[in-house]
Amino acid sequence: ERAREILETVKERDETRLGVEAMELLDAYGIETPQGEIVDDPSDALSVAEEIDGNVVMKIVSPDILHKSDIGGVKVGVSNEDVYDAYEDLITRAKNYQPDANILGVQVQEMVNLDDGVETIVGMNRDPQFGPLMMFGLGGIFVEILEDTTFRVAPVAESEAETMTKEIDAAPMLRGARGADPVDIGGITETIQRLSQLVTDFPAILELDINPLVALPDGVQAVDVRLTVD
Ligand code: ADP
Ligand code: MG
């Protein structure tokens, strides 16, 4: 029901493309996201950063800027002292990129420890022939270059979701390559299934990507999301 409300609010705004402002949708389906909030002034950004342990990540939030790192719109490891400067810089970069961009604010987010984790992608695209196609693969900002992905028609059963995690070339990384701890494969398969449920419940979602879904030894964290609705 929460998910329905979120999507209706979106519809009223007349936007068809959404970014991290839609993160609550994942929450509503039990997909874990890092602690964080979207704010629209620097002092609120600082308050949120102060509530979060350690340094934070700050990201521009704009439906017109869906590939945030491409414009320098993601700042990782920001200390409390640097929050104000980072905030102003993100807004400046967004305006330089597109002067009339609709800027909703800045997301201040807990850091996820990428050293212990693997960046994966879980997504969905509606195929005219097969319907909703779930995708899983190696994630991060190089996903288009690496093209290490696998697909299944939704809804995806648990065993199928697990098979997807074994099919990609990078599968050994998930299972603990070079002495690293294996990541929470169960958390990945659960996320694939929950997302598959979400897109089955809401045909208005035309495509959706969680990228990255950071897979850690003790769980998974959806760090970024992007979707298109009709
Ligand atoms: P975009 O895909 O729009 O460029 P992301 O939110 O995915 O923006 O951020 C880009 C990259 O920055 C991620 O792939 C990840 O490597 C890093 N990053 C983003 N958020 C976090 C976070 N909370 N903790 C650690 N690294 C992060
Ligand atoms: Mg991303």
Side-chain angles (χ1 to χ4, degrees):
E1 277 328 291
R2 182 77 193 104
R4 196 170 300 280
E5 277 170 36
I6 296 165
L7 281 169
E8 267 161 20
T9 320
V10 161
K11 229 175 168 175
E12 283 159 17
R13 279 215 317 259
D14 234 24
E15 298 283 2
T16 56
R17 295 173 61 76
L18 302 169
V20 289
E21 67 272 22
M23 211 92 162
E24 274 183 77
L25 211 51
L26 304 181
D27 262 2
Y29 272 73
I31 297 171
E32 199 161 333
T33 57
Q35 186 187 346
E37 246 175 86
I38 295 167
V39 295
D40 60 9
D41 83 80
S43 65
D44 288 344
L46 183 57
S47 312
V48 176
E50 281 171 346
E51 280 167 28
I52 294 172
D53 265 351
N55 290 352
V56 296
V57 179
M58 292 174 66
K59 309 180 189 184
I60 193 74
V61 183
S62 164
D64 297 316
I65 304 168
L66 294 171
H67 295 270
K68 300 176 288 297
S69 358
D70 288 359
I71 67 142
V74 177
K75 293 185 182 279
V76 178
V78 181
S79 65
N80 287 353
E81 302 84 86
D82 291 336
V83 165
Y84 268 77
D85 286 348
Y87 188 98
E88 299 302 351
D89 189 53
L90 286 171
I91 303 290
T92 305
R93 281 169 193 265
K95 287 186 173 155
N96 286 344
Y97 168 72
Q98 191 182 317
D100 64 345
N102 174 15
I103 299 168
L104 301 178
V106 167
Q107 184 188 41
V108 180
Q109 191 181 58
E110 177 190 357
M111 290 273 288
V112 172
N113 184 0
L114 297 179
D115 290 344
D116 295 345
V118 179
E119 291 191 64
T120 68
I121 178 169
V122 180
M124 184 280 300
N125 251 297
R126 288 193 196 267
D127 182 274
Q129 197 177 347
F130 299 108
L133 270 188
M134 300 301 298
M135 182 249 278
F136 172 72
L138 198 65
I141 56 176
F142 299 118
V143 62
E144 286 93 358
I145 299 167
L146 297 172
E147 284 190 343
D148 186 10
T149 48
T150 180
F151 297 85
R152 286 290 183 295
V153 178
V156 180
E158 185 177 354
S159 61
E160 278 301 302
E162 201 185 334
T163 306
M164 291 174 83
T165 69
K166 294 179 178 160
E167 276 173 357
I168 61 170
D169 295 338
M173 284 174 69
L174 303 176
R175 285 171 171 76
R178 300 194 169 216
D181 286 331
V183 304
D184 179 13
I185 309 262
I188 299 175
T189 61
E190 207 172 282
T191 306
I192 295 171
Q193 287 180 275
R194 286 173 189 255
L195 204 67
S196 150
Q197 189 61 53
L198 169 66
V199 302
T200 306
D201 293 347
F202 293 99
I205 301 177
L206 300 181
E207 52 183 2
L208 190 160
D209 282 327
I210 300 175
N211 182 26
L213 176 79
V214 180
L216 296 155
D218 58 353
V220 296
Q221 291 278 352
V223 158
D224 185 28
V225 67
R226 162 154 67 227
L227 61 140
T228 311
V229 294
D230 77 0

